[in-house]
Amino acid sequence: MASARLTLFWLLALPVLVFTGFFLIPLGVVLVSSFTDPEAGLTLAHYARILLDAYHWQVIATTFRIAIFSTLICVALGYPLAWYLVRIVQVRSWRRACVILLVLPLFTSNIVRSFGWMVLLGRSGLVNDALMSLGLIDRPMRFLGTETGILIGMVYILLPFTVLTIGTALARVDRGLEQAARDLGATPARAFWTVTFPLTLHGVMAGAIIVFSMAISAYVTPALLSGGKVTVLAMLAFQQYSTVFDFHYGGALSITLLVLTLALIGLASRMTRGRTPGAGGH
């Protein structure tokens, strides 16, 4: 009995120690440094510098705009792809091949994939060549150094997460419920919006939260595809740590990004909680 308790203790203690050592302690160091200054000691000057400067609000707005649009596009594209994999594909071998093709890019570094999009989105890249050959544009479009180029790269990198989470939720939906709605006179569209979609909303929210969290803190893709012409908060924080070596100001930027992200995620979760079947007991 004592040996079993000791084993259980270590099984529980090890994850706690790892979580504390690799997450809580570094986060605490960043938090403390954001409220301190080598000369003034305890201070709120770093946060005042962020919140009272219009430039920082522009960077924050750009960061959240890119993250929100990336999330919305990933959900809009991810749901049909998940539907295709779960509901349309009947051959198991083809479904496995599609899933492999979907997750295969995840085994490649974001740096490599971002460099690939730099080549594709260039003025003489494949995207501009294709648009010009189709007659959609007369001259090459400028993608690099714009939010549009960053969005393309972000959606490409983050789309598999929404497809996998929505697909998992969709596979658990009992098709008998949809058939029951059809038998009661509902059209396919009405059956989807009143039965299927609400039952998969938790998967949509899970995928959206994953994508938003990764998009809001992304550094590599925005840095490479922006060419230094579009600045997001993660780039600004990294600049303070790696170039300026102002760890206190960089810590304040990091904590500001974390707080704003958690606030927006909490607000979105609260807004959709009552719409999820079984939530709130109503």
Side-chain angles (χ1 to χ4, degrees), residues 5-249:
R5 289 181 177 178
L6 184 62
T7 302
L8 180 61
F9 170 79
W10 282 112
L11 288 175
L12 295 176
L14 286 177
V16 173
L17 290 175
V18 171
F19 181 76
T20 302
F22 289 93
F23 180 76
L24 291 182
I25 293 179
L27 181 61
V29 171
V30 173
L31 182 63
V32 171
S33 66
S34 69
F35 284 103
T36 57
D37 186 84
E39 299 178 357
L42 190 64
T43 180
L44 295 174
H46 305 299
Y47 290 98
R49 178 182 176 184
I50 297 171
L51 299 178
L52 299 179
D53 187 2
Y55 169 74
H56 290 93
W57 282 109
Q58 292 177 1
V59 173
I60 292 172
T62 301
T63 303
F64 277 83
R65 183 168 56 249
I66 291 175
I68 290 173
F69 276 112
S70 298
T71 304
L72 294 176
I73 295 173
C74 283
V75 170
L77 296 178
Y79 207 110
L81 286 174
W83 185 277
Y84 173 77
L85 290 176
V86 176
R87 295 296 180 88
I88 305 300
V89 177
Q90 301 297 328
V91 182
R92 184 173 299 179
S93 58
W94 174 239
R95 181 181 298 163
R96 290 177 178 174
C98 290
V99 173
I100 291 174
L101 290 175
L102 181 68
V103 302
L104 192 61
L106 298 178
F107 294 94
T108 307
S109 170
N110 287 352
I111 299 176
V112 176
R113 287 184 282 175
S114 298
F115 271 116
W117 276 109
M118 290 178 65
V119 175
L120 292 174
L121 296 176
R123 289 189 175 272
S124 58
L126 181 62
V127 174
N128 271 312
D129 288 345
L131 292 176
M132 293 179 66
S133 63
L134 292 174
L136 298 178
I137 57 176
D138 297 326
R139 63 184 64 182
M141 293 181 61
R142 179 170 167 262
F143 290 106
L144 299 179
T146 66
E147 293 185 20
T148 302
I150 298 175
L151 275 176
I152 294 174
M154 296 290 287
V155 170
Y156 166 75
I157 290 173
L158 300 175
L159 183 60
F161 296 99
T162 55
V163 177
L164 294 175
T165 53
I166 295 174
T168 302
L170 193 59
R172 295 178 179 177
V173 175
D174 186 0
R175 297 195 184 187
L177 298 175
E178 301 172 0
Q179 187 60 45
R182 297 290 303 277
D183 292 341
L184 292 173
T187 62
R190 185 173 178 82
F192 170 78
W193 288 111
T194 58
V195 177
T196 308
F197 185 75
L199 292 175
T200 58
L201 187 57
H202 64 283
V204 175
M205 280 302 302
I209 290 174
I210 293 173
V211 170
F212 180 79
S213 301
M214 298 179 70
I216 200 73
S217 59
Y219 168 76
V220 172
T221 302
L224 292 178
L225 296 182
S226 70
K229 296 179 180 179
V230 179
T231 303
V232 296
L233 208 53
M235 294 169 57
L236 196 59
F238 181 80
Q239 182 185 40
Q240 298 303 314
Y241 277 104
S242 63
T243 306
V244 184
F245 300 108
D246 190 344
F247 302 107
H248 304 280
Y249 176 47

Side-chain angles (χ1 to χ4, degrees), residues 27 30-32 34-35 47 250-260:
L27 181 61
V30 173
L31 182 63
V32 171
S34 69
F35 284 103
Y47 290 98
L253 289 169
S254 303
I255 296 299
T256 300
L257 177 60
L258 176 63
V259 171
L260 292 176

